[in-house]
Amino acid sequence: LGELSMLEILNFNNNQGLVGSTIPIKFSDMWSLRELHLEDNGLQGTISTSITQLNRIEEIHLKHNNLFGKIPDLAKLKALKVLDLSHNHLRGDIICDQLPLESLRTLSLGSNLFTKIVPPNDFSSASQAHLEVLDLSHNEFTGTVPDYIQHFRNLRWLQMD
């Protein structure tokens, strides 16, 4: 599939033939891809850093798999509007500076094993963010709601239970 350089939308959801596989795509030649849907496939492994080569990507949907490890640095994906990594086994810190806060509208990281949110170094990036939906529910956070959440002024839906 990696040689389909003109492909704009890849929808490979609910494909039980992929159970136990890693993400089966080489992204380096898929420079036209705008939407990636690999939901409910039982995929295992980490999220490849090659996903950062998808310069035109607007939506990444990898929910309901068995992905583990950390979120790669996605900050240079300036067109990314939707990132759904919910219902996996991702862990570690959510590092705001490694996310394209200026373009993201929906960030769904619920039902993982995240323990900490590292705030952006520059809060002006948060106040300029267009983030409307933020789902951080069912993780392993402790303590109170972080103060810097208030800087996401366009937030319409926040779930942190």
Side-chain angles (χ1 to χ4, degrees):
L1 290 176
E3 295 181 16
L4 298 173
S5 62
M6 299 304 291
L7 189 67
E8 292 186 16
I9 298 173
L10 176 60
N11 189 331
F12 221 61
N13 293 339
N14 300 305
N15 189 331
Q16 295 307 307
L18 294 177
V19 170
S21 300
T22 58
I23 296 176
I25 300 166
K26 178 183 168 193
F27 295 111
S28 59
D29 296 325
M30 299 183 81
W31 52 268
S32 293
L33 197 63
R34 291 183 299 107
E35 294 183 22
L36 176 63
H37 300 265
L38 293 173
E39 302 170 23
D40 296 305
N41 287 312
L43 295 171
Q44 294 184 355
T46 60
I47 301 170
S48 171
T49 57
S50 70
I51 206 165
T52 63
Q53 297 172 357
L54 298 173
N55 294 328
R56 295 183 182 177
I57 196 78
E58 295 176 10
E59 297 185 21
I60 297 173
H61 302 269
L62 298 175
K63 71 180 178 181
H64 288 284
N65 282 294
N66 295 310
L67 300 172
F68 56 84
K70 297 180 179 186
I71 301 173
D73 187 343
L74 304 174
K76 70 179 186 176
L77 298 180
K78 300 298 184 190
L80 189 62
K81 294 179 180 150
V82 177
L83 179 62
D84 189 348
L85 303 176
S86 61
H87 300 275
N88 278 289
H89 304 284
L90 299 169
R91 64 178 56 243
D93 297 344
I94 299 170
I95 303 172
C96 291
D97 286 335
Q98 293 183 352
L99 298 170
L101 293 178
E102 300 81 22
S103 62
L104 271 177
R105 302 285 192 278
T106 299
L107 178 59
S108 185
L109 301 175
S111 298
N112 278 289
L113 302 169
F114 295 114
T115 55
K116 182 178 173 186
I117 303 171
V118 178
N121 288 326
D122 178 7
F123 284 107
S124 67
S125 66
S127 63
Q128 295 172 10
H130 297 285
L131 195 62
E132 296 175 3
V133 175
L134 179 59
D135 179 4
L136 300 172
S137 63
H138 304 287
N139 277 287
E140 297 186 358
F141 301 121
T142 57
T144 60
V145 176
D147 288 342
Y148 52 84
I149 294 288
Q150 69 185 341
H151 292 282
F152 294 106
R153 295 195 173 123
N154 291 310
L155 207 56
R156 298 174 190 267
W157 191 73
L158 173 64
Q159 187 169 351
M160 296 187 75
D161 54 348

